[in-house]
Amino acid sequence: MTAAAAAAVGILVASAPTPAAATTATEPDPVRQGLNALVHHDGMPAALASVKDPAGRTRTSTAGVGDLATGAEVPRDGQVRVGSNTKAFTAVVVLQLVAEGKLRLDDPVGEHLPGLLRGDGIDGDAIKVRHLLQQNSGLPNYTEYDIPLKHYEPKDLVDIALKHKANFAPGTKWQYSNTNYVLAGMIIEKVTRHSYAKELDRRVIKRIGLRHTYFPAPRDATIREAHPQGYIQEKPGAPLRDVTEMDPSWTWAAGQLVSTNSDLNRFYSALLGGRLLKKPQLDQMRTTVKGADKTFGPGARYGLGLVSKPLPCRPGEVYWGHGGSFPGYETRGGATTDGHAANVAVTTQPKDKKTMSHVDKVVEKALCA
């Protein structure tokens, strides 16, 4: 299996949210109904959800089977590989360094990684740190190419991208590229003189008490805590294959995190609540650009590692998140500024937009309830 065949890490493709019907104590739980439909109608092996209200009350739900080989139950709020939700974490660390005066968003990447970015139409002195976080650097996306899934060092991933021509001049267009966030992680290491994993753990994970979130150590292919198995289907009609254990280094700062739905809710709520960034940096993170709707769905806009999506059940409002894709797992979700948060995970990557829209609708029903 290759990275390209595994549906390149972490693109959130969400359909436009739709209003959820009002519920009463006697009506069925729409989130639980949605999870059951994902399993019984869409063929997901398992589906998990966590929903938090503004008072901090959390509900977790599961459906399906956690392990097809043994028939084990789905662990409640089990750990999964959360893919490109990692990008939001990476962007937070970079913006914290900006607040500390250790770098600027308009610094050229070449100032921090001299001589690294050179290629056909690629100039590290023309690409700014902001371009990396906002996904408008023009750098090729290394996961689009046929790379074996094995252990990689971050520079290996960048070198794959640099073999290809730039997609456009920096800042002129928007295009999703995992290469941008590998470079952001490398800048974190250069500026702090610590590992990316150490800075992420100190600045984000421990700071807000994410007890079930971690960045896997080099060559660690396992998932530490209770988790559902993750599966892929390599072609239509083929049996599902267990890919739970995998060296995730091919995603690094773009998508290597392991977490739970509840921890993601805590992260996005803490972020929007100002617990991770000062107001100037949070405002920058939420300053969005056009162009992301073709990738993330109608009305979507991309900030600095953060995606806004319309919430039609509350006209004029949006929710903020990112979502992630990793072989064996899909996660979708986000939070609103008034304290609602919801995340949903399924244990195989949906192969069609219709199924993916059903995952998104569970999130929307949870946020609109």
Side-chain angles (χ1 to χ4, degrees):
M1 184 169 59
T2 65
V9 65
I11 295 179
L12 168 63
V13 183
S15 62
T18 54
T23 60
T24 69
T26 60
E27 291 180 324
D29 179 350
V31 173
R32 187 177 297 278
Q33 285 184 317
L35 297 185
N36 285 331
L38 287 171
V39 170
H40 298 296
H41 297 292
D42 293 304
M44 300 293 101
L48 308 82
S50 179
V51 182
K52 183 184 77 67
D53 69 17
R57 294 183 293 262
T58 295
R59 291 183 295 115
T60 58
S61 304
T62 65
V65 179
D67 186 331
L68 295 178
T70 66
E73 294 183 356
V74 183
R76 186 168 294 276
D77 203 32
Q79 286 184 327
V80 296
R81 301 190 189 277
V82 298
S84 277
N85 285 289
T86 309
K87 290 180 173 67
F89 286 68
T90 301
V92 165
V93 175
V94 172
L95 288 165
Q96 288 176 350
L97 293 172
V98 169
E100 294 164 13
K102 295 178 180 177
L103 59 82
R104 297 173 301 169
L105 285 172
D106 291 323
D107 284 347
V109 172
E111 180 177 325
H112 300 287
L113 302 172
L116 177 62
L117 292 185
R118 292 289 183 270
D120 190 352
I122 298 171
D123 180 359
D125 293 330
I127 299 172
K128 313 293 186 182
V129 173
R130 185 190 303 275
H131 292 146
L132 301 180
L133 300 187
Q134 197 119 54
Q135 300 278 22
N136 56 7
S137 70
L139 288 168
N141 183 0
Y142 70 88
T143 58
E144 290 184 359
Y145 307 105
D146 209 26
I147 62 172
L149 296 185
K150 61 178 186 179
H151 183 77
Y152 292 92
E153 296 298 324
K155 187 177 181 299
D156 298 334
L157 304 174
V158 176
D159 286 345
I160 293 168
L162 295 180
K163 293 177 182 178
H164 305 273
K165 184 179 179 179
N167 293 318
F168 50 83
T172 61
K173 297 180 181 180
W174 186 93
Q175 189 172 63
Y176 196 90
S177 175
N178 290 297
T179 310
N180 291 322
Y181 276 80
V182 172
L183 288 163
M186 294 174 73
I187 290 173
I188 290 169
E189 293 196 330
K190 186 65 178 291
V191 170
T192 64
R193 300 184 180 180
H194 296 142
S195 72
Y196 167 82
K198 181 176 181 178
E199 289 297 309
L200 188 68
D201 190 60
R202 179 175 72 88
R203 292 173 173 273
V204 182
I205 295 172
K206 284 189 168 62
R207 182 171 175 176
I208 57 173
L210 303 181
R211 295 184 298 154
H212 307 290
T213 301
Y214 70 97
F215 193 79
R219 293 184 171 80
D220 182 359
T222 64
I223 297 178
R224 292 178 185 171
E225 298 179 14
H227 58 274
Q229 302 298 105
Y231 300 90
I232 64 166
Q233 187 177 43
E234 294 175 306
K235 60 182 180 180
L240 290 169
R241 182 160 70 88
D242 191 328
V243 291
T244 308
E245 295 196 358
M246 177 187 297
D247 184 330
S249 62
W250 62 281
T251 66
W252 201 54
Q256 191 167 321
L257 272 180
V258 172
S259 188
T260 65
N261 286 319
S262 291
D263 266 11
L264 289 178
N265 286 344
R266 180 185 290 269
F267 167 72
Y268 286 114
S269 295
L271 175 59
L272 296 181
R275 293 176 55 198
L276 286 167
L277 293 174
K278 296 180 180 179
K279 186 178 185 302
Q281 283 70 48
L282 182 57
D283 288 345
Q284 288 281 346
M285 193 177 197
R286 295 173 61 191
T287 299
T288 59
V289 296
K290 296 180 180 179
D293 52 326
K294 291 182 180 179
T295 302
F296 289 89
R301 295 175 64 98
Y302 205 93
L304 304 184
L306 199 60
V307 179
S308 68
K309 289 283 296 178
L311 199 58
C313 65
R314 302 176 193 168
E317 293 189 27
V318 299
Y319 67 97
W320 297 88
H322 198 288
S325 178
F326 194 98
Y329 301 98
E330 289 276 351
T331 54
R332 295 290 182 268
T336 61
T337 54
D338 65 359
H340 290 88
N343 265 273
V344 173
V346 293
T347 58
T348 190
Q349 294 168 303
K351 294 296 185 182
D352 59 77
K353 292 182 179 180
K354 183 178 180 181
T355 301
M356 196 64 254
S357 72
H358 296 164
V359 179
D360 296 323
K361 286 178 181 178
V362 180
V363 175
E364 295 154 13
K365 288 177 180 178
L367 292 173
C368 289

